[in-house]
Amino acid sequence: LLWMDDDAIFVDMHFELPLASYEAAGVHLVLWGDERMTYEEGNSEGVNTGTMLLRRSEWSRALLAAMTALASSALRPTLVNHDQGGLVHLLNTQPQLWRAQTLLERSFTMNGHWPEDA
């Protein structure tokens, strides 16, 4: 499943996602991310949830449910960049549940800004 924000567009119609490598790695969530910012600093800017690949699985449904629960929890006001902050929070407070099936993609840019990519 490809999740894209409503302000996202494809700029390279010939690019092919390395889906076979994701399948071989057994990951359920792929998104742009920086491991140091995400895991060491807990910085919500360490991931970008504007474009994500999610495997249709119970794991993915559980992750989305956990993120949704955070959106209506007492923690919400403390989460910077609410959805990204929520994901970083889950990755850091429950790593045994979420990290092994999450790939922070760095071999190509999944999220760019039009002036940078035009």
Side-chain angles (χ1 to χ4, degrees):
L1 173 69
L2 173 63
W3 172 281
M4 291 179 59
D5 279 352
D6 64 349
D7 62 349
I9 61 171
F10 289 97
V11 294
D12 182 351
M13 298 304 288
H14 300 288
F15 180 77
E16 293 185 24
L17 292 164
L19 298 176
S21 67
Y22 301 151
E23 177 76 26
V27 297
H28 290 249
L29 171 65
V30 179
L31 71 163
W32 180 91
D34 180 274
E35 289 192 11
R36 181 186 51 78
M37 289 176 68
T38 302
Y39 299 135
E40 294 173 26
E41 299 172 11
N43 185 334
S44 67
E45 295 291 321
V47 297
N48 190 323
T49 56
T51 305
M52 302 184 294
L53 293 170
L54 287 157
R55 183 183 307 275
R56 288 183 358 193
S57 66
E58 288 302 319
W59 183 94
S60 296
R61 285 187 275 285
L63 175 65
L64 292 174
M67 290 177 70
T68 302
L70 280 176
S72 59
S73 76
L75 280 177
R76 187 181 192 281
T78 67
L79 300 174
V80 178
N81 300 323
H82 300 291
D83 54 338
Q84 292 176 188
L87 179 58
V88 169
H89 175 79
L90 291 172
L91 289 170
N92 284 304
T93 61
Q94 301 171 358
Q96 71 284 1
L97 294 176
W98 311 119
R99 281 195 194 179
Q101 277 79 40
T102 299
L103 174 66
L104 302 182
E105 182 62 78
R106 298 292 290 182
S107 64
F108 61 91
T109 300
M110 293 180 74
N111 307 80
H113 294 97
W114 180 251
E116 298 166 7
D117 295 314

